[in-house]
Structure formats: C-alpha cells, structure tokens
Amino acid sequence: MMKTLSATFERFGGVMLLPVALALIAFLLIGRPSTWVTLTVAGLAMGMMIFLMASGLSLIFGLMDVLNFGHSAFVSFGAFIAASVLAFLGAWVSGGSAVLNIAALMAAIAAATAFGALAGWAFERVIVKPVYKDHLRQILITMGALIVADEIILTLWGGAPIPVPRPAVLTGSIVVGDVSIEIYRIFAFLLGLCVYVAMHFALNRTRIGLLVRAGVENREMVEALGFRIDRLFIAVFMAGSALAAMGGAMWAGYQSLITTAIGAEMMILVFIVVIIGGLGSIEGSLLGAILVGLMANYVAFLFPKMSLASNMILMMAILLWRPFGLKPAVKG
Amino acid sequence: MREAILRLDDVHTDIAQYHVLHGVSLDVPEGGVHVLLGRNGAGKTTSLRTIMGLWRARKGAIVLRHRDITALPTPDIARLGVAFVPENMGIFGGLTVEENMRLAAEGGRFDDERLQRIFALFPAMEKFWQSQAHALSGGQKQMLAISRAIVEKRDLILIDEPTKGLAPAIIRAMIDAFREIAKETTILLVEQNFHFARALGETVAVIDDGRIVHRGTMAALAADEALQNQFLSLSMEAH
C-alpha cells in the first residue's frame, strides 16, 4: 500500500509537487485570490533570491565538505557594494531612461558578483584551505572571519541603515484586476530563474559541471581519474561566493533599506534551504528556497507570530520524513 | 623474467597512529595479471592506495617505469597511465554510465573502436549506457568500474577485490574479461578469492601483517599444496 502510494507520488512529480501543494493549501486558507497571487509572487521572488545565496553554499558543502559559516559575509558585502554603486549612479537610477535604469542595476549586480568571486578566492586560499577535513576548525575560523567581515562593513559603511535606491523602471506594480504585483519581484524571480537555468546547463552539459557532480559524490575517485580537485575547489568556492554576493545585491534592492545584519538575518533561511534541499544539490536548493519563500510569505500573512518558527517547523518536518533532504546528491 | 613496470622498495605506510605497511617490497612485471593475496587487514588495500598516492608512504620508494612516484599527487600518478578500481568500485551513482566513462576518457572524447571492445566485454554497459549508475546491480557496477579503467589505454591497472559479493556467473565473466584486458596492459590484482586469483595470475605475492611473506609464480603456488597450506591458511580463506 505504502509502496503504491510512494510510486504514484513519484510518478506525478514527487517532491517537486510540494510547492504546488503548499500553494494550494495556502489558497484555501487565504480565501482571496488576489491576496494569494500577491503572496505567491512575493514568495517565489524571495525564494529565487534565497536560492542565489544558498546554491553556492550547498555546492561548497557537498563538494568540499566545508562548513562555511562565513558565507553570509558575501551576502552582506554584495548588498552594501550594490547599494554604493546604485547611490553612485543615482542619476541613472532615478532618470527616465529605462536603459540607464537597467544599466545601473546591472553594474551594481556585476560589481557585487565580481567582488564576491575575488573575495571568495582570497577566503578559500587564506582561511579555508588550511582547515580542510577539520570541521571544528572550519566552524571556528569561518565564524571568526564573519565577525571580522561584519566589522569591516561597519567601518566602511557605518552602523546606520542605508537606503538602497531602486531603478525607476523597476519601481511600482503591475495591476491586473484587483491583483497587484511588484515589478521588482518579477525581475528578481526572472533573474533567479536565469541563474538556475545557467547553473543547470553548466552542471549537466559541460565537462567542468560533470567534474563538480562527480566530486560532490566522491572526491578521491575524481583525483584517481587524474583531475586536480583542489583547482575545482577554488572555482566552486569563487562561484558560490559570487552567487551569494549577487543574492545579497538583489535582496538589498528588495528591502530598500539595509543594515549590517542583512547577511546574518538571511543565513538562517539559507541554512534551512541547504539542509532541506539536500547537500550538494542545485535542484534541492531551488526546491528548498521556493518552499521557504512561499512558507515565509503565506505564514507572515496568515499567522504573523509564527513567521520565524514556520520555516524551522518546515525543516524539522522534512528532516523527519527525508533525513538527507528532499533532493540530495546521489552517493555511490 | 620481464622487466618490472612497478617496484615497491621497503614501503612503510601509517594510517593515523597505526603502522600498517612494515616495509613492503614488490616487483610487478610488465604485462599480464599479478596478484597480491592476503587476509583481511593484511595490508592489501593499503598497498594499492599507497601506490596510487591516496595514502602517503612514510618511508621507502615506489617506482613506476624508472620514475619515482612516491611523493607524486594522485592525479599526476593517474596521468602517468595508472588506473585504480577501488574495493567500493568508486562509481558516481548520480551520473549515467556514459558520464562515468566520459570522465575517464581523454578530453572527454571516446575512442569508438575501444568503446566497441568494452561493449563486447561487458554488453550491459551498452544496454544501460544512459542509465544512472546507482540503479545498476552490484555486478554491473563492477563492470562499469573496470570499463572506466580501460576506456583509455593504461600501463597499469590496480584492482582491489573485484569479486567481492559477486555471483559465480559474474565472476566467470570477469575472468574472461581480465584475460582480454591483460593482453594490452598490466594488472595488479588484490584478491582473497584464491580460485579467481589462480585462474588469472602469472605471479603472486602474499602479504601478511604489512609484509610480503611469499612471492613466486602462481603456477608454483597452485601446484604446491604445502605452500598453499602454509600461506593460504595463514592469510586467507580459500573459496
């Protein structure tokens, strides 16, 4: 009986159906279609931004077996660098030209992403490399690095909240009937989707991607086949850090006002996504991020006091059902 | 006696605080199948992993075709033409059979003629070409591990207990395949299954407690019951 149910569940999409099921339950509880659409789009946009931050961490966990508690520093730096670039290009941001609006945003995201990649390279070489294969020291040294990074941000940008100007073309909402959808949320969702498609292509259609997938399963065997896994580690760490910074930049635009706590606040959700998605799995990260994004928005509307606890409960429920997450990388 | 392709000279290896290899010295002649026999924990797997650079020799020398590889990183040893099939087969379960093989192919490109020969040796590989490797049976996984090792021409293949847990029919197929593979390369085979080892091996070395306690031809060991009693009862269960 259980086997038949399980086979039927898998045939209709398996765990990929969970966001649909969550959305349907929320629809019944919310009652008003326009509110439900607004919350669903907000949840998807939030999920995609969390996916940007979480996917790199998941690969770093899965491939390198590194517990990087400093990952949120890249989120914070990405947010503050993007805010500074947007402030510097203020005339482009607020001007009437849609091309300049988008160019300003792209420059902000590119600067954040490039900084993330370079800082990721330095972080891996100086801080992470000496503590491979030692989880306790990894936790201690990456948390120490996080504190130092937060202090650097505090020194450079100060402790007061910083406004993040949003490009004029992405302000406002699209109104269809009584449904109102923020344009920035649509943009965030589409950008996240593009990054996911690019990552999926890179992992499944390129030789480097093949090596990363193999390395997540068995690093030693990848070396025995003649590949230098340490070079792959650097590339993955840089990519993961760059994605975190990109996510931070997008999140800064979404929030409109950022503080030095931005990285730490997001890391709770990022860790939940990585754990419920399954280590080393990009599909798992996407699924986990969408579930977390939807859950956060639905619960914040339905039961505001349960907002923070809801994703913890989601994580516990999923881990009780699937201890290795929803879509972990296959091993062996 | 042919020239040795691989020479281990007084190799000592530690794993954590344990001194596992106590001065292993071994010559592996070029071509054919050469067997390292020994009971569980005797040092067979440690020997192979030390040759491959996965565990470091603390003392002694490992020489491949006159080149000292003792301190070389594993990828460099692999690029010198050494393939390794570990005891757990080391296949990538989330990758397809094709992707597993492609990783080992030079530049990710297959030599079609070679691939057809592999399919002739192991027809299951062609049948399950696009299947995920984790879905294969134990025997098919072993075939994949060996196919991956020979997707390019190698000078030396290190194989760790390929018959472990396999059905007799699969083991017979493996014997035929290994005979074919040994026509173009050298195989250093670690085994506990004496019947399998006897069917393939030209030379044999017996390891016990981290030391080589016997070396000679397989024919001599197979013909000499007293030798077998001395070493097989010492070091393995003869299947």
Side-chain angles (χ1 to χ4, degrees):
Chain A
M1 178 67 179
M2 281 307 289
K3 268 190 172 177
T4 315
L5 272 175
S6 173
T8 310
F9 178 65
E10 290 301 327
R11 195 163 55 245
F12 284 100
V15 292
M16 299 311 266
L17 281 179
L18 288 177
V20 179
L22 180 62
L24 285 175
I25 293 166
F27 183 78
L28 296 174
L29 292 173
I30 292 165
R32 288 179 56 201
S34 59
T35 307
W36 177 81
V37 171
T38 303
L39 290 170
T40 302
V41 173
L44 290 174
M46 181 181 173
M48 280 304 189
M49 285 182 275
I50 299 173
F51 164 72
L52 291 176
M53 302 173 212
S55 54
L57 186 65
S58 181
L59 275 185
I60 290 167
F61 258 149
L63 176 73
M64 302 161 71
D65 196 25
V66 167
L67 297 165
N68 180 15
F69 279 71
H71 194 71
S72 67
F74 300 103
V75 174
S76 301
F77 268 110
F80 278 90
I81 287 170
S84 296
V85 172
L86 287 170
F88 179 74
L89 299 173
W92 290 14
V93 172
S94 56
S97 163
V99 173
L100 287 180
N101 287 171
I102 295 294
L105 184 63
M106 286 302 148
I109 292 173
T113 308
F115 176 85
L118 284 175
W121 172 77
F123 197 89
E124 195 276 342
R125 291 289 86 185
V126 177
I127 293 169
V128 176
K129 192 182 170 198
V131 293
Y132 278 135
K133 298 179 182 171
D134 187 339
H135 284 154
L136 181 60
R137 289 176 70 206
Q138 283 168 14
I139 292 170
L140 292 174
I141 200 166
T142 57
M143 285 192 82
L146 173 62
I147 293 167
V148 172
D150 282 346
E151 290 301 312
I152 292 172
I153 290 172
L154 204 59
T155 306
L156 292 175
W157 281 279
I162 291 181
V164 184
R166 194 179 282 184
V169 73
L170 295 180
T171 54
S173 302
I174 294 172
V175 180
V176 182
D178 57 351
V179 175
S180 170
I181 301 170
E182 267 191 53
I183 296 171
Y184 191 84
R185 287 176 177 169
I186 298 172
F187 175 76
F189 177 78
L190 291 177
L191 182 75
L193 195 62
C194 288
V195 170
Y196 170 72
V197 170
M199 285 179 80
H200 187 80
F201 178 84
L203 284 170
N204 292 285
R205 294 279 182 271
T206 68
R207 190 156 170 79
I208 293 276
L210 191 57
L211 275 171
V212 171
R213 286 160 59 213
V216 167
E217 285 195 43
N218 189 339
R219 278 167 285 165
E220 193 176 73
M221 200 60 221
V222 169
E223 292 211 294
L225 289 174
F227 299 100
R228 296 287 297 265
I229 198 92
D230 51 342
R231 290 179 189 161
L232 203 59
F233 280 6
I234 300 171
V236 166
F237 205 95
M238 286 175 74
S241 306
L243 284 169
M246 183 192 279
M250 289 300 296
W251 189 249
Y254 186 64
Q255 292 291 81
S256 300
L257 197 66
I258 57 171
T259 67
T260 49
I262 184 172
E265 285 165 7
M266 292 311 293
M267 271 323 270
I268 298 170
L269 294 180
V270 166
F271 272 110
I272 290 175
V273 165
V274 169
I275 291 165
I276 68 177
L279 298 182
S281 160
I282 293 301
E283 284 77 14
S285 293
L286 179 69
L287 181 61
I290 287 177
L291 279 172
V292 164
L294 290 175
M295 183 71 114
N297 279 275
Y298 292 146
V299 174
F301 177 80
L302 289 166
F303 317 104
K305 288 183 179 170
M306 288 290 290
S307 187
L308 183 64
S310 63
N311 276 308
M312 291 291 182
I313 293 167
L314 177 72
M315 179 176 75
M316 287 188 280
I318 286 173
L319 289 183
L320 284 172
W321 175 38
R322 295 206 170 185
F324 297 103
L326 293 171
K327 283 191 88 66
V330 178
K331 303 259 183 190
Chain B
M1 194 72 170
R2 285 163 296 182
E3 191 179 357
I5 184 172
L6 179 75
R7 174 163 291 162
L8 275 69
D9 183 18
D10 191 29
V11 170
H12 291 252
T13 301
D14 296 340
I15 301 174
Q17 71 269 41
Y18 302 106
H19 187 180
V20 179
L21 298 188
H22 298 263
V24 169
S25 294
L26 178 71
D27 280 3
V28 178
E30 181 143 23
V33 180
H34 307 279
V35 182
L36 185 59
L37 288 169
R39 64 172 168 80
N40 274 336
K44 306 184 301 291
T45 296
T46 305
S47 299
L48 289 197
R49 291 178 65 85
T50 304
I51 295 167
M52 204 62 211
L54 293 165
W55 287 332
R56 288 283 153 213
R58 174 169 56 81
K59 187 181 160 206
I62 303 167
V63 177
L64 178 76
R65 286 194 194 286
H66 309 294
R67 178 169 179 178
D68 189 337
I69 61 167
T70 319
L72 278 188
T74 300
D76 293 357
I77 295 170
R79 277 191 237 118
L80 289 173
V82 183
F84 178 49
V85 180
E87 192 177 355
N88 65 6
M89 297 174 266
I91 65 155
F92 305 111
L95 273 53
T96 63
V97 169
E98 181 197 353
E99 287 172 331
N100 268 274
M101 302 264 287
R102 195 173 287 285
L103 269 179
E106 188 68 40
R109 284 179 294 277
F110 292 116
D111 173 341
D112 283 340
E113 193 186 323
R114 204 167 176 83
L115 202 56
Q116 291 311 315
R117 272 169 34 212
I118 291 172
F119 290 158
L121 282 176
F122 303 118
M125 294 302 96
E126 186 170 21
K127 186 176 174 190
F128 296 109
W129 190 237
Q130 289 302 330
S131 301
Q132 287 214 315
H134 71 83
L136 300 177
S137 69
Q140 289 161 349
K141 283 179 181 169
Q142 190 60 267
M143 290 174 194
L144 172 57
I146 294 163
S147 299
R148 191 175 60 187
I150 58 170
V151 75
E152 291 291 331
K153 172 142 180 16
R154 311 288 181 197
D155 290 340
L156 175 66
I157 304 179
L158 312 173
I159 307 180
D160 196 354
E161 297 207 41
T163 62
K164 201 172 181 180
L166 297 188
I170 306 274
I171 293 177
R172 281 194 291 276
M174 287 282 176
I175 291 174
D176 294 338
F178 279 29
R179 283 192 179 127
E180 193 61 33
I181 295 164
K183 287 177 184 171
E184 67 159 21
T185 190
T186 308
I187 296 175
L188 176 58
L189 181 71
V190 152
E191 256 307 333
Q192 285 197 68
N193 181 333
F194 183 60
H195 286 270
F196 180 73
R198 187 174 57 185
L200 287 165
E202 286 182 26
T203 68
V204 60
V206 180
I207 188 169
D208 194 65
D209 200 19
R211 293 177 182 85
I212 300 293
V213 293
H214 169 79
R215 75 195 91 195
T217 64
M218 182 62 84
L221 182 63
D224 191 332
E225 210 165 309
L227 264 184
Q228 284 177 43
N229 286 338
Q230 183 184 347
F231 294 117
L232 302 189
S233 60
L234 166 76
S235 38
M236 76 206 71
E237 11 165 340
H239 296 256

